[in-house]
Amino acid sequence: MSGVTITLPDGKSLAFDGPVTALEVARRIGPGLAKAALAGRVGGRLVDLRTPIREDCALEIVTTKDEAGGEIIRHSAEHVMADAVKRLFPTAQVDAGRADHSEKFQYDFLVDEPFTPEDLERIEKEMNSILAEGAEFERQVVSRDEAATLFRELGEELKLSRLADIPDDAEITVFRHGRFVDLCRGPHVADTKQIGAVKLLEASGTYFRGDESGPKLQRIYGTAFASKKELQAHLARLEEAKKRDHRRVGQELGLFHLDPLAPGSPFYLPKGMSLYNELVRFIQSLYPKYGYREVMTPQLFRAELFKTSGHYEKFHDDMYWFAGSDEGEELGVKAMNCPGHCHLFSTGKRSYRELPIRWAEFSRLHRNERSGTLNGITRVRTFAQDDAHIYCEPDQVPQEIDSFFRMTAEVYSKLGVEGVEMSVSTRPEQFLGDPADWDVAEKALIAAVERAGFKCRVKEGEAAFYAPKVEADFRDVLGRAWTLATIQIDMAMPGRFGLRYVGRDGELHQPAMLHRAVLGSLERFIGIYIEHTGGDFPFWLSPLQVAVLPIADRHAPRCHEIQAGLLAAGLRAEVDDRSETLGFRIREAEKQKIPLTLVIGDEEVERGTVSPRVRKSKQAMDAMSAEALVSELRLANAERRLTPLA
C-alpha cells in the first residue's frame, strides 16, 4: 500500500502509510483542530471529514471560521430535521434536500396531512433533543443494490426514484447519524453537537420533482448556525429582509403589480416603468463609449435555430413551443438572444476589419419556469437582459474582457453597488465543445480577473453547458450574495453555426464569441436592487425625484410653476396638493422614498425661492432660487449622482 503525503496551508507536510481522512489529519495536527473540524478542502473542492484521500494533495481543514463552515452545518442540520420528522411521523417518506445551504436548508416529505405551525414547533424541539445526543455522522459507500434494498426496507419509495438518478459509474454514499440514514454526497459535520442552534422557518406545499401531476409533498425550511448568537443575528437579518422584500416594497412604492392571471409576468406601473427605462437608458448611454451597437432579433424562430445552437436538446423543457401554420412547422419563443445573434452574424460576409462586432439587445425573453420556482420579479417567465454578444479575433479576447470590467465598474459606481467579488465558473459534467478548449478559456478568464485586480474564486462545474464564465458577485446590505454581471467565452456556438470571417491572411477563420451582461435580467436586478436599497434609490434613478408641497391652496399655482420648470429640465416631479395636513404629506413623501421635497409657503412665493429638504434630513437646506435648484438637479441627473445636491 503506497503512502500519502498531505501538504498543509502553511507549507508543512504530513506523511501517512496509506489512505487518510481529513479528520485523521486534523487529529494528527492537534485535538483542538480535530474538535473544530467540519470538512476538508482538496483542490478547492470540499470533502467530507471521513472521505478517504488516496493521493498526495494539499489539504485545508474547514472550521466555522471558513464561509463554507456554515453551509456544512446547515446541510447536517437538514439531516437532523429529517430524522426528527421520521421520529414524530414514522410513515413520512423523505424526498430530497437542498443543494444550496448558504442561508437555509430544506427537505420535502410525503405525509398524510400538511404540517401545521404546531408541528414545526414539535419538530424543532425534537431536533434539539437529537443535537444533544451528539451522534456521529458516518459515511458509507454502498452498491446500487445495497442502497435499493436499504431504502425499500425503510419504505422510502421516493428515495428509490432518486437513486435511479445517480449515474451508473458514480460512487453511491449514504450518511447515518443515530437511526437516520439518507443518500448523500456530504460533507457533514463530525457529530450533531457541532450544530449549535437550529430554527425552523416555514412549511409549504410542493410537488415531487416539480411535476404538478405527481405526488404533493410538504417542504420544511430551516436554518442552523454554530452558535445561538449567530442564529439570533441571522433571524434579525431575516426580519429586515421581510421589510425589504421586493414584492412588498414594489407594491408600497407603486412599481409593479403581480397577478395570478399572469404568473411570472409582472405588470409594470408608471413608476416601475420609469425605473426600468432609466436603467435601460443608462446602459444604452454607455454603448458608444464601449463600442456596442443595438440590434433586435425576432421573438419567434423555427426549431431549427435552437437545434443548431444546442438549446433544443439542452433547454427544450424550459422554452415555449407551438405548431406553426405550415405542416410540421415547430416554432419556439425566444428564451435567449445568442442563437439569433449567431444567425445574424452568418447572414453576411465578415472581415477581420469589422471585428470586434459587439451587438446588444434588450428585447423580451420568455422561459417556461416551473410555477413552484417563481418568485416576485426575481424569478419570472418574461424578462429582458442587458445582453450583448461580441465576435472578435481570438487574440482580441483579453482586451474585450478588460473592457467588460471597466464597463461593469462604471455601472456599479453609479448604482452605489460596492464590494463586488469575481469568480470563474468551470465546465459542468455535460458540456459542448472540446475539453482542451475549455481549459484554455478558463485560464484566460482567471487571468483576466486577476489582471483587473480581483482575487479570483473558482466555482467548479457551475458554468453553462456552452461556456465558462466570469461572475461578478456582491453582498447586499443583509450579507446575501448575488451574481450580477457575467461574461462567457463560448466554446460551442461559433462552430455549430459555422461562423467565419476573412482573416488578415485572406483565409477563413472562426471568430471567438463572448456573451456579456452587466445587470443580467432587468427584472431580477430590479428585485435584488430594491431589497439592497430598501427602495431608497439613487437620485438619478428614483421614479419620482421631487415632491412639491403647497402649505395652503393659495400656494398651489406657484408649486405648479416650479413643477413645470423641473419637468422641462427632464426631472421627475409631482405636486401634492391634497387636502391633507402638511405633516401628513411630508411623511408620505418620506414613505415613498422621494429624494427631495420642496415646501412652498408665502415666503417662497414672495421671494421666488425654495428650501430643499433632502430625504431623511431633519431640516430643510438654506433657501435658493428655483432656477438655481433646477440647474443643480439637471446636473445631478446628467452626472447620475447618488444624491440630489452635492
Side-chain angles (χ1 to χ4, degrees):
M1 183 181 295
S2 60
V4 173
T5 299
I6 301 296
T7 303
L8 303 176
D10 62 3
K12 294 181 180 179
S13 297
L14 298 177
F16 295 85
D17 294 336
V20 65
T21 66
L23 186 57
E24 290 168 339
V25 173
R27 286 171 178 159
R28 172 80 70 87
I29 296 171
L33 183 60
K35 184 177 180 180
L38 299 173
R41 184 180 283 111
V42 177
R45 183 174 60 87
L46 290 174
V47 297
D48 188 79
L49 288 169
R50 293 146 288 254
T51 300
I53 300 172
R54 305 182 187 279
E55 298 179 354
D56 297 351
C57 67
L59 173 68
E60 180 183 356
I61 302 299
V62 176
T63 67
T64 54
K65 296 179 180 179
D66 191 298
E67 184 177 339
E71 298 179 20
I72 296 163
I73 287 172
R74 284 181 280 281
H75 187 185
S76 303
E78 196 169 66
H79 282 229
V80 172
M81 178 180 72
D83 182 12
V85 170
K86 290 289 288 184
R87 293 188 186 192
L88 295 172
F89 304 88
T91 61
Q93 287 193 48
V94 182
D95 186 27
R98 184 180 180 88
D100 177 10
H101 298 95
S102 56
E103 292 186 10
K104 55 189 174 183
F105 58 78
Q106 73 184 51
Y107 250 120
D108 296 345
F109 302 94
L110 181 61
V111 288
D112 295 331
E113 299 291 336
F115 290 120
T116 66
E118 292 74 24
D119 290 333
L120 295 191
E121 290 180 9
R122 292 173 58 210
I123 295 167
E124 186 177 308
K125 183 177 180 181
E126 188 68 24
M127 288 178 69
N128 284 311
S129 297
I130 296 170
L131 298 186
E133 293 172 5
E136 292 185 0
F137 278 83
E138 302 174 29
R139 178 181 183 271
Q140 182 181 0
V141 179
V142 296
S143 69
R144 189 174 298 272
D145 288 342
E146 288 172 332
T149 299
L150 170 64
F151 291 109
R152 193 174 292 112
E153 289 175 351
L154 291 172
E156 299 283 1
E157 296 297 324
L158 299 183
K159 200 62 65 176
L160 293 175
S161 176
R162 296 293 182 180
L163 177 63
D165 294 340
I166 301 176
D168 292 339
D169 58 349
E171 181 179 67
I172 298 174
T173 55
V174 297
F175 276 82
R176 298 176 181 270
H177 73 270
R179 293 174 287 175
F180 183 76
V181 59
D182 197 9
L183 277 174
C184 191
R185 289 191 298 265
H188 288 290
V189 297
D191 60 63
T192 59
K193 285 187 176 179
Q194 287 181 306
I195 305 170
V198 296
K199 178 66 179 178
L200 296 188
L201 304 173
E202 62 177 323
S204 62
T206 187
Y207 291 94
F208 183 57
R209 297 184 180 275
D211 183 355
E212 296 180 10
S213 65
K216 188 167 185 179
L217 309 179
Q218 285 289 297
R219 174 173 295 172
I220 300 179
Y221 291 100
T223 192
F225 288 85
S227 68
K228 290 183 178 179
K229 182 178 179 180
E230 290 177 82
L231 174 62
Q232 291 303 318
H234 176 74
L235 294 177
R237 287 194 297 271
L238 288 182
E239 283 302 310
E240 181 63 23
K242 288 180 181 178
K243 296 177 185 177
R244 292 170 174 263
D245 189 308
H246 74 276
R247 294 165 295 188
R248 173 180 176 177
V249 175
Q251 181 177 352
E252 291 174 348
L253 298 185
L255 302 178
F256 52 80
H257 169 69
L258 302 172
D259 198 296
L261 286 175
S265 304
F267 289 77
Y268 279 101
L269 300 172
K271 289 182 180 179
M273 279 308 301
S274 172
L275 180 68
Y276 183 99
N277 287 332
E278 280 300 317
L279 285 170
V280 172
R281 280 193 285 266
F282 176 34
I283 299 298
Q284 289 173 330
S285 73
L286 298 175
Y287 287 166
K289 179 177 180 178
Y290 291 96
Y292 289 92
R293 291 179 295 170
E294 282 196 88
V295 297
M296 182 173 289
T297 54
Q299 285 289 311
L300 298 177
F301 288 97
R302 285 181 170 168
E304 285 70 20
L305 178 82
F306 301 109
K307 290 178 180 177
T308 300
S309 70
H311 289 94
Y312 190 91
E313 176 187 357
K314 300 285 186 179
F315 211 65
H316 185 275
D317 291 345
D318 298 311
M319 293 177 63
Y320 292 103
W321 303 94
F322 62 95
S325 57
D326 295 341
E327 185 176 351
E329 183 181 45
E330 184 180 18
L331 297 173
V333 181
K334 182 169 64 174
M336 67 294 293
N337 291 313
C338 40
H341 288 190
C342 284
H343 179 72
L344 192 59
F345 186 96
S346 72
T347 59
K349 188 175 182 180
R350 307 293 176 184
S351 164
Y352 74 91
R353 298 179 187 277
E354 296 177 74
L355 305 183
I357 289 174
R358 307 178 188 93
W359 282 335
E361 182 167 5
F362 266 112
S363 64
R364 303 301 296 176
L365 304 174
H366 297 80
R367 296 186 182 177
N368 186 20
E369 301 285 0
R370 303 297 178 265
S371 59
T373 67
L374 299 177
N375 180 32
I377 65 171
T378 59
R379 191 69 178 267
V380 290
R381 289 174 172 164
T382 176
F383 59 97
Q385 291 179 314
D386 70 315
D387 201 8
H389 297 94
I390 302 166
Y391 302 91
C392 61
E393 296 180 88
D395 62 2
Q396 293 174 327
V397 167
Q399 69 192 48
E400 291 302 313
I401 297 175
D402 293 346
S403 177
F404 160 78
F405 283 122
R406 290 194 297 273
M407 184 177 180
T408 298
E410 183 169 353
V411 170
Y412 291 171
S413 69
K414 297 299 185 183
L415 290 165
V417 172
E418 300 176 341
V420 174
E421 299 177 348
M422 296 290 178
S423 59
V424 170
S425 295
T426 59
R427 71 174 177 266
E429 292 183 6
Q430 295 184 351
F431 60 93
L432 297 177
D434 189 311
D437 291 338
W438 276 78
D439 291 341
V440 171
E442 289 167 5
K443 289 177 182 177
L445 291 178
I446 291 171
V449 170
E450 294 173 345
R451 194 165 56 247
F454 294 94
K455 180 181 178 182
C456 186
R457 298 171 57 213
V458 176
K459 297 181 179 180
E460 297 283 351
E462 293 189 21
F465 69 91
Y466 55 85
K469 65 178 174 180
V470 174
E471 297 180 341
D473 299 326
F474 95 106
R475 291 192 178 276
D476 65 14
V477 293
L478 298 175
R480 299 172 300 185
W482 302 97
T483 296
L484 297 180
T486 60
I487 189 166
Q488 302 166 274
I489 302 177
D490 198 308
M491 308 308 302
M493 257 181 263
R496 294 178 74 94
F497 279 89
L499 303 186
R500 296 291 184 270
Y501 68 94
V502 178
R504 300 168 194 272
D505 57 2
E507 301 295 324
L508 291 177
H509 299 271
Q510 180 174 297
M513 179 183 176
L514 302 175
H515 304 243
R516 82 101 186 98
V518 177
L519 300 180
S521 156
L522 278 178
E523 278 69 17
R524 179 175 177 273
F525 176 81
I526 290 171
I528 292 170
Y529 197 57
I530 287 172
E531 296 188 0
H532 177 58
T533 61
D536 201 355
F537 303 119
F539 174 73
W540 67 269
L541 189 57
S542 294
L544 183 56
Q545 296 171 301
V546 184
V548 189
L549 313 182
I551 292 178
D553 289 346
R554 64 181 180 274
H555 307 126
R558 177 55 181 161
C559 288
H560 286 286
E561 290 176 5
I562 293 172
Q563 180 199 24
L566 291 165
L567 295 176
L571 296 154
R572 297 178 290 280
E574 287 185 1
V575 175
D576 185 354
D577 55 2
R578 291 176 294 172
S579 56
E580 301 283 356
T581 66
L582 178 62
F584 175 86
R585 286 178 285 146
I586 290 174
R587 288 192 297 274
E588 280 296 294
E590 283 282 330
K591 286 171 61 177
Q592 286 297 304
K593 321 281 188 180
I594 301 172
L596 202 64
T597 302
L598 308 177
V599 176
I600 306 300
D602 290 336
E603 184 175 341
E604 287 77 18
V605 171
E606 180 180 342
R607 297 184 179 182
T609 61
V610 292
S611 299
R613 183 189 299 269
V614 178
R615 177 171 144 70
K616 294 183 179 177
S617 63
K618 294 183 179 180
Q619 59 185 21
M621 300 175 65
D622 292 339
M624 60 195 303
S625 71
E627 292 76 15
L629 176 67
V630 170
S631 178
E632 183 67 21
L633 295 184
R634 181 194 286 116
L635 184 60
N637 244 13
E639 295 178 350
R640 291 191 166 88
R641 293 180 191 166
L642 299 178
T643 55
L645 297 171

